[in-house]
Amino acid sequence: MKGLLVKDLKLVKNQGRLLIFLAIAMGAIFGIMDANPTFVVSYMTIFFTIFTISTISYDEYDNGFAFLLTLPATRQQYVHEKYIFSLIMMGGAWVGGMAVSILLGLVWHPQGGLSVVYETSWIFIILGAVMVSVLVPLKLKFEGEKGRLVIPVVCLGGVLIFFLAFKYIDILPEVFAEKVFSIANELGTAGIAVVIAAVTVAIFAVSWLCSLHIMKRREF
């Protein structure tokens, strides 16, 4: 599994110039547009998450899976490596994005800009974990042209679901809404964060198991 991880990290290294350019570009856009400081965190986290998923396409190219499995690496180790690699990339991108956001916030929004970063940036690491949980098993399940359509279709579907939920949230029964708000008030901010983290970990674990099952049954 170490060799697989080194392979993906080398791939990141080869793309280093592009990634540095994007980071600088995001900083410039942030300054010109006077955008929210969390923009850099969200962009970097989601970008690196999608890059993590795209490495599966690199592995599939030119019958690459068949070659990789001739190495001292099993199908289970391949799946383990992808999830570990995704955690490394998401965590690194989130920490780097936070550092850049704080720096730019101090420069462009010295009055209260950092509070927005601290309060909302954790949402993007959760979003990245959910994206990995959904996209990795789908990418392993569908190969070729179907696999390349997975990311845009899922992203568009997620945006559509979010838009519809936000638009039609008012049609929920008032009693149900009051119950939800009541539970949220009882839990408090810390309690809600713990619940969201627990649900995210559960989704991530289920996705991991699904990917193991898919990879075990896949033919090359």
Side-chain angles (χ1 to χ4, degrees):
M1 187 174 71
K2 179 181 178 181
L4 295 173
L5 187 59
V6 170
K7 170 187 69 67
D8 284 339
L9 291 175
K10 288 285 187 180
L11 184 60
V12 175
K13 182 181 178 181
N14 291 337
Q15 301 293 328
R17 292 181 180 178
L18 174 61
L19 300 179
I20 293 173
F21 171 77
L22 287 173
I24 295 174
M26 287 305 99
I29 292 173
F30 176 87
I32 294 171
M33 298 179 61
D34 195 26
N36 190 301
T38 58
F39 175 75
V40 177
V41 184
S42 62
Y43 179 85
M44 294 300 292
T45 305
I46 301 305
F47 174 82
F48 277 93
T49 298
I50 294 176
F51 178 82
T52 300
I53 309 303
S54 70
T55 59
I56 299 177
S57 297
Y58 283 99
D59 294 337
E60 286 180 330
Y61 181 73
D62 201 15
N63 213 22
F65 268 137
F67 171 75
L68 287 174
L69 294 178
T70 63
L71 302 174
T74 64
R75 295 171 183 248
Q76 291 80 8
Q77 288 175 333
Y78 179 85
V79 174
H80 296 334
E81 186 272 337
K82 283 303 171 191
Y83 281 89
I84 293 172
F85 178 63
S86 70
L87 290 175
I88 293 173
M89 294 298 291
M90 283 191 305
W94 187 80
V95 171
M98 280 288 291
V100 174
S101 293
I102 291 173
L103 177 61
L104 293 174
L106 289 172
V107 174
W108 295 101
H109 297 279
Q111 303 296 328
L114 292 182
S115 62
V116 178
V117 177
Y118 296 139
E119 291 171 1
T120 62
S121 292
W122 61 271
I123 296 173
F124 304 114
I125 196 71
I126 298 292
L127 180 59
V130 172
M131 288 180 65
V132 169
S133 301
V134 173
L135 291 173
V136 168
L138 288 177
K139 284 287 290 181
L140 292 175
K141 178 68 175 178
F142 301 104
E143 54 184 308
E145 291 297 329
K146 291 181 180 179
R148 280 189 281 271
L149 291 174
V150 165
I151 293 179
V153 169
V154 171
C155 290
L156 288 174
V159 171
L160 180 61
I161 292 172
F162 178 81
F163 173 77
L164 292 176
F166 182 79
K167 183 176 181 180
Y168 295 107
I169 193 171
D170 293 336
I171 67 174
L172 292 174
E174 186 175 345
V175 176
F176 177 79
E178 290 179 355
K179 185 65 175 178
V180 171
F181 284 121
S182 175
I183 294 174
N185 289 330
E186 291 178 4
L187 290 174
T189 303
I192 293 173
V194 170
V195 171
I196 293 175
V199 171
T200 304
V201 170
I203 293 173
F204 200 82
V206 170
S207 170
W208 200 318
L209 294 175
C210 289
S211 295
L212 285 171
H213 179 73
I214 291 169
M215 196 64 179
K216 182 179 179 180
R217 297 173 61 87
R218 185 168 175 178
E219 297 181 359
F220 303 106

